[in-house]
């Protein structure tokens, strides 16, 4: 069965489910900027990603999604003549705890882009090689896997705001800005505004000084946007939103994955996720402005918010590490890492009944009152 535009009805339903994920907090301002659905005809993965292989997440493990907001329309040109990404966010969702984190990566962040001779701004990665190069750059920069991507152009953001009837924002001082190269002209008076899509887009794109100020405004806008999206009045508008933005989004997420995420995210609220920004300082190098990230603080943020690792640990937890793979020194290496995370390692040795055989899987067993409470199995 199809609608009047020839779109299969199941596609519209799945697009609506996917949008619901946004509303419960997987994405952010760019989740208004940056959402979804490559359910209809889109750019083939081999064109978008080249020969790059993207790993599937383990069952019940954290899912990492790179969210890209583009200032040019999606379509063939987005692949053949890629533009710089205006907004970049790494969204993480834990299906077990049903918690999410959104890490804003400033567009001026100075990083190494694969196959480039010098350090450059991270938003150049998409221009050099589309989604594939952007994913590689973020993966290398943060040392985390990226499972999915979502690209969206500004038109989808405008559509979302208009469908929900606008978002009320307080503008502290008049915002004026001109950039003829982008056909961008901003003039928003101070005061309270019920912003329609076009005005809201100008508000979140406004840049007076560093990109960090703009990210701060995006976070404030997201808080108000989510409050609107979670309202009962706007939940019933999901089908209309899906219809309006589906042509402005590209993703490698399959419909089955969207459905499973929607189920896992059901019942979430905006309190179930946190927003963060890559820590660092703004500075000039060779006359060019950059965001210079703090290595130690960035690593701590990534481990805590993206990977779910707490360095403080729980010192009441005692851990035994047993080598079942037959690789000499593997247990000692892992035990050292576990100790660094704050846990007490009480024993290191070989797994029982090893003999000449090796275990095919890694097992993590939690004991409560001497009884095995839970066993998680992961293939090595």
């Amino acid at each position: 069965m199809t609608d009047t535009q020839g779109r299969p009805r199941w596609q519209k339903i799945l697009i609506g489910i996917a949008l619901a994920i946004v509303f419960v907090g997987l994405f952010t301002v760019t989740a208004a900027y940056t959402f979804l659905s490559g359910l209809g005809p889109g750019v083939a993965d081999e064109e978008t990603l080249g020969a790059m292989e993207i790993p599937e997440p383990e069952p019940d493990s954290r899912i990492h999604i790179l969210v890209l907001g583009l200032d040019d329309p999606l379509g063939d040109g987005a692949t053949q003549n890629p533009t710089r990404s205006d907004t970049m966010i790494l969204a993480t969702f834990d299906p077990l705890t049903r918690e999410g984190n959104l890490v804003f990566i400033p567009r001026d962040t100075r990083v190494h882009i694969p196959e480039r001779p010098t350090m450059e701004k991270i938003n150049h990665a998409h221009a050099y090689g589309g989604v594939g190069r952007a994913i590689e750059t973020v993966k290398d920069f943060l040392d985390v896997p990226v499972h999915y991507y979502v690209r969206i152009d500004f038109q989808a953001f405008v559509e979302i705001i208009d469908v929900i009837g606008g978002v009320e924002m307080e503008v502290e001082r008049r915002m004026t800005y001109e950039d003829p190269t982008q056909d961008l002209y901003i003039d928003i008076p101070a005061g309270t505004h019920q912003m329609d899509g076009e005005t809201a887009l100008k508000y979140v794109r406004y840049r007076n000084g560093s990109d960090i100020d703009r990210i701060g405004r995006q976070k404030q806008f997201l808080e108000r946007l989510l409050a609107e999206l979670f309202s009962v009045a706007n939940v019933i508008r999901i089908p209309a939103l899906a219809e309006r933005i589906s042509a402005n989004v590209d993703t490698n997420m399959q419909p089955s994955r969207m459905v499973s995420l929607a189920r896992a995210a059901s019942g979430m609220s905006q309190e179930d996720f946190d927003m963060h920004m890559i820590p660092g300082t703004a500075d000039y190098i060779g006359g060019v402005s950059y965001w210079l990230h703090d290595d130690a603080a960035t690593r701590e943020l990534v481990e805590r918010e993206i990977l779910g690792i707490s360095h403080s640990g729980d010192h009441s937890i005692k851990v035994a590490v047993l080598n079942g793979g037959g690789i000499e020194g593997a247990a000692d290496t892992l035990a050292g890492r576990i100790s660094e995370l704050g846990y007490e390692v009480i024993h290191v040795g070989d797994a029982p009944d090893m003999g000449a055989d090796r275990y095919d899987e890694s097992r993590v067993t939690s004991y409560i009152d001497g009884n095995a409470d839970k066993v998680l199995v992961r293939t090595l």
Side-chain angles (χ1 to χ4, degrees):
M1 182 178 296
T2 60
D3 61 17
T4 55
Q5 294 179 333
R7 185 187 301 277
R9 189 171 299 280
W10 66 266
Q11 276 193 10
K12 293 177 64 177
I13 294 172
L14 287 177
I15 292 173
I17 292 172
L19 274 169
I21 300 172
V22 177
F23 300 161
V24 293
L26 267 183
F27 309 130
T28 152
V29 152
T30 352
Y33 270 165
T34 310
F35 190 58
L36 169 44
S37 156
L39 295 176
V43 181
D45 282 349
E46 57 268 24
E47 290 183 64
T48 308
L49 301 173
M52 181 181 182
E53 293 185 3
I54 296 183
E56 277 288 321
E58 292 284 346
D60 296 329
S61 65
R62 288 183 169 226
I63 297 166
H64 309 311
I65 305 167
L66 181 62
V67 178
L68 298 168
L70 308 181
D71 54 7
D72 279 349
L74 279 168
D76 292 339
T79 300
Q80 297 170 10
N81 299 294
T83 59
R84 290 175 293 184
S85 53
D86 191 77
T87 307
M88 183 178 286
I89 299 170
L90 187 63
T92 296
F93 175 64
D94 189 328
L96 291 179
T97 63
R98 295 201 305 178
E99 295 176 338
N101 288 290
L102 304 166
V103 176
F104 286 75
I105 305 174
R107 56 181 287 172
D108 292 346
T109 302
R110 189 170 185 261
V111 299
H112 171 69
I113 298 174
E115 301 183 20
R116 297 296 299 175
T118 60
M119 303 275 280
E120 298 186 51
K121 295 184 179 185
I122 198 167
N123 73 323
H124 292 181
H126 188 269
Y128 291 135
V131 174
R133 189 65 56 82
I135 290 175
E136 284 184 293
T137 302
V138 171
K139 180 169 62 73
D140 293 348
F141 171 46
L142 299 180
D143 192 23
V144 297
V146 176
H147 304 117
Y148 304 107
Y149 74 84
V150 176
R151 290 190 303 179
I152 196 169
D153 60 33
F154 289 152
Q155 185 57 36
F157 175 80
V158 172
E159 298 278 6
I160 289 174
I161 304 304
D162 285 342
V163 169
I164 67 174
V167 175
E168 184 178 289
M169 292 297 298
E170 180 72 25
V171 178
E172 295 183 358
R173 60 181 63 88
R174 183 181 179 185
M175 303 169 70
T176 59
Y177 179 80
E178 291 188 9
D179 185 350
T181 63
Q182 299 186 59
D183 193 27
L184 180 60
Y185 301 91
I186 300 173
D187 188 355
I188 306 175
T192 302
H193 298 267
Q194 185 70 19
M195 295 184 176
D196 62 11
E198 291 291 346
T199 304
L201 178 60
K202 292 177 180 179
Y203 177 82
V204 296
R205 293 189 69 188
Y206 176 72
R207 184 174 178 176
N208 182 19
S210 73
D211 194 46
I212 308 311
D213 294 333
R214 188 179 70 146
I215 288 178
R217 282 189 297 275
Q218 290 179 344
K219 289 181 178 179
Q220 292 175 357
F221 184 86
L222 173 62
E223 292 175 359
R224 302 304 299 270
L225 173 61
L226 288 177
E228 291 290 339
L229 291 175
F230 282 120
S231 70
V232 174
N234 279 314
V235 168
I236 64 175
R237 294 190 172 108
I238 288 177
L241 285 168
E243 181 95 20
R244 296 276 289 272
I245 77 166
S246 60
N248 302 95
V249 181
D250 167 44
T251 179
N252 66 330
M253 199 179 303
Q254 296 298 315
S256 59
R257 170 55 72 178
M258 295 181 192
V259 171
S260 66
L261 284 178
R263 288 173 178 165
S266 62
M268 286 181 66
S269 68
Q270 65 186 96
E271 286 77 27
D272 293 320
F273 69 94
D274 296 316
M275 290 179 285
H276 310 273
M277 188 185 73
I278 296 297
T281 56
D283 205 346
Y284 283 84
I285 297 179
V288 178
S289 63
Y290 290 100
W291 182 250
L292 306 178
H293 73 281
D294 181 313
D295 278 328
T298 297
R299 191 62 214 163
E300 181 181 355
L301 173 68
V302 168
E303 292 188 347
R304 184 181 69 249
E305 305 297 345
I306 297 178
L307 300 178
I309 298 172
S310 172
H311 280 282
S312 61
D314 185 342
H315 297 284
S316 67
I317 295 177
K318 297 177 174 58
V319 180
V321 181
L322 304 178
N323 188 344
I327 301 175
E328 185 176 354
D332 289 320
T333 300
L334 179 58
R337 182 61 180 140
I338 290 173
S339 295
E340 291 175 3
L341 296 175
Y343 299 97
E344 181 182 354
V345 177
I346 59 174
H347 177 68
V348 179
D350 289 331
D353 303 323
M354 259 287 286
D357 297 326
R358 297 180 181 179
Y359 286 75
D360 293 328
E361 298 169 325
S362 295
R363 292 177 177 264
V364 179
T365 307
S366 171
Y367 289 91
I368 296 178
D369 296 329
N371 298 314
D373 173 63
K374 178 172 58 177
V375 177
L376 303 178
V377 180
R378 293 287 183 269
T379 302
L380 286 172

